[in-house]
């Protein structure tokens, strides 16, 4: 049985905010040792979640914060169920993740990590929260790093560009004293009306990988060429619609 949590946040108009709570019970292996009882929790029990449908101007919406309160680096496989503002399940809404936490691809060291969710299907606009089930949480034998790589789009001649330009490579710099493995994605966002009354949030419409799994030695910079589908996506979207270049710890 997976560890299942409801991801909630303070809601306007409520005196008391709701917090993540266990709804399916703690998953643990119980072993009898002499006259005492030893409880060995699975790694997934160390994870808790918070979901923010909006995060302010200039920031990504629909962000899932993953807090690893344990000491191991984990690669969780999560399952999401969309909920409306009243906490009711939206059975026709499919929830997916941008960084692959629903596929065991996102690596989560101790501390705080994040993913970005998308909602599609009938009733997707009504999604305000998610139910998160931890299907597995595999320990990963990699160093625990506490900094994010620095990602910079560049031209063929090495000139630094911005994300709205037609860049041809991405510079990825590791400022940590440990090596890390990351993936890069080019995100093409929806461009909803600015009026909140329209009831639309910006979300990722298309997520295109740039390269594959990238090993970054300590204090090292790698330049990743943008080719194939990623190059076509950049050429099509740059300067026309909102876009982002993001990296995440992976395996």
């Amino acid at each position: 049985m997976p560890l299942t949590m409801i991801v909630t946040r303070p809601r306007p108009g409520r005196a008391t905010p709701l917090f993540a709570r266990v709804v399916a019970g703690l998953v643990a292996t119980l072993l009898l040792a002499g006259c005492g009882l030893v409880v060995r929790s699975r790694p997934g029990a160390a994870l808790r979640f918070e979901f923010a449908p909006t995060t302010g101007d200039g920031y990504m919406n629909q962000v899932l914060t993953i807090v690893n309160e344990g000491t191991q680096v984990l690669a969780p496989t999560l399952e999401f169920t969309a909920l409306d503002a009243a906490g009711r399940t939206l059975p026709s809404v499919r929830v997916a993740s941008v960084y692959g936490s629903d596929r065991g691809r996102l690596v989560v060291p101790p501390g705080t990590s994040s993913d970005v969710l998308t909602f599609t299907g009938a009733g997707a606009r009504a999604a305000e929260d998610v139910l998160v089930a931890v299907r597995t949480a595999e320990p990963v034998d990699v160093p625990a790093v506490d900094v994010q790589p620095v990602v910079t789009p560049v031209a063929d001649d090495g000139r630094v560009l911005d994300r709205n330009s037609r860049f041809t490579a991405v510079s990825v710099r590791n400022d940590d004293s440990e090596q890390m493995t990351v993936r890069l994605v080019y995100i093409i966002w929806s461009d909803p009306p600015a009026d909140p009354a329209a009831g639309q949030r910006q979300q990722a419409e298309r997520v295109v990988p740039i390269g594959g799994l990238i090993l970054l030695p300590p204090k090292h910079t790698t330049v990743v060429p943008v080719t194939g589908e990623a190059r076509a996506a950049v050429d099509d979207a740059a300067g026309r619609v909102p876009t982002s270049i993001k990296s995440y710890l992976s395996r």
Side-chain angles (χ1 to χ4, degrees):
M1 181 185 297
L3 177 72
T4 306
M5 293 183 178
I6 284 189
V7 178
T8 58
R9 64 195 182 286
R11 301 184 192 279
R14 295 192 178 184
T16 304
L18 297 176
F19 297 95
R21 59 188 183 272
V22 176
V23 298
L26 177 66
V27 178
T29 301
L30 304 180
L31 299 175
L32 221 43
C35 296
L37 191 64
V38 177
V39 180
R40 295 181 182 172
S41 299
R42 294 182 182 177
L47 300 177
R48 64 180 178 85
F49 310 93
E50 298 173 5
F51 177 71
T54 58
T55 54
D57 291 342
Y59 294 90
M60 296 183 296
N61 289 331
Q62 299 176 180
V63 172
L64 179 76
T65 298
I66 305 170
V67 181
N68 179 357
E69 297 178 326
T71 58
Q72 294 178 299
V73 179
L74 301 175
T77 299
L78 307 179
E79 182 176 301
F80 304 107
T81 302
L83 305 174
D84 67 11
R88 295 181 294 253
T89 299
L90 298 170
S92 298
V93 178
R94 179 178 179 271
V95 188
S97 84
V98 169
Y99 299 159
S101 62
D102 54 355
R103 305 184 298 282
R105 178 165 281 192
L106 178 68
V107 168
V108 179
T112 301
S113 302
S114 64
D115 203 339
V116 182
L117 304 184
T118 63
F119 300 90
T120 55
R125 289 189 185 180
E128 292 289 336
D129 209 341
V130 287
L131 180 72
V132 181
V134 181
R135 292 305 175 192
T136 62
E138 298 179 28
V140 183
D141 187 18
V142 296
V145 296
D146 58 7
V147 300
Q148 292 294 316
V150 179
V151 175
T152 307
V154 295
D156 285 332
D157 58 6
R159 286 181 298 113
V160 172
L161 302 173
D162 61 37
R163 66 185 182 185
N164 297 316
S165 301
R166 286 181 170 83
F167 55 91
T168 57
V170 178
S171 168
V172 190
R173 189 178 79 237
N174 177 11
D175 289 335
D176 201 272
S177 57
E178 300 282 358
Q179 75 173 25
M180 63 176 70
T181 52
V182 303
R183 295 182 190 272
L184 289 172
V185 288
Y186 184 64
I187 305 173
I188 299 174
W189 301 93
S190 63
D191 194 12
D195 182 5
Q200 297 183 49
R201 295 191 297 267
Q202 187 178 67
Q203 77 166 357
E205 286 193 337
R206 187 180 175 194
V207 181
V208 185
I210 300 175
L213 188 64
I214 304 161
L215 174 63
L216 290 174
K219 309 296 183 179
H220 181 81
T221 299
T222 294
V223 176
V224 181
V226 178
T227 60
E229 182 186 3
R231 181 65 174 267
V234 171
D235 288 345
D236 176 62
R240 185 178 62 83
V241 292
T243 62
S244 296
I245 312 160
K246 294 296 180 180
S247 67
Y248 59 92
L249 297 176
S250 189
R251 59 174 182 166

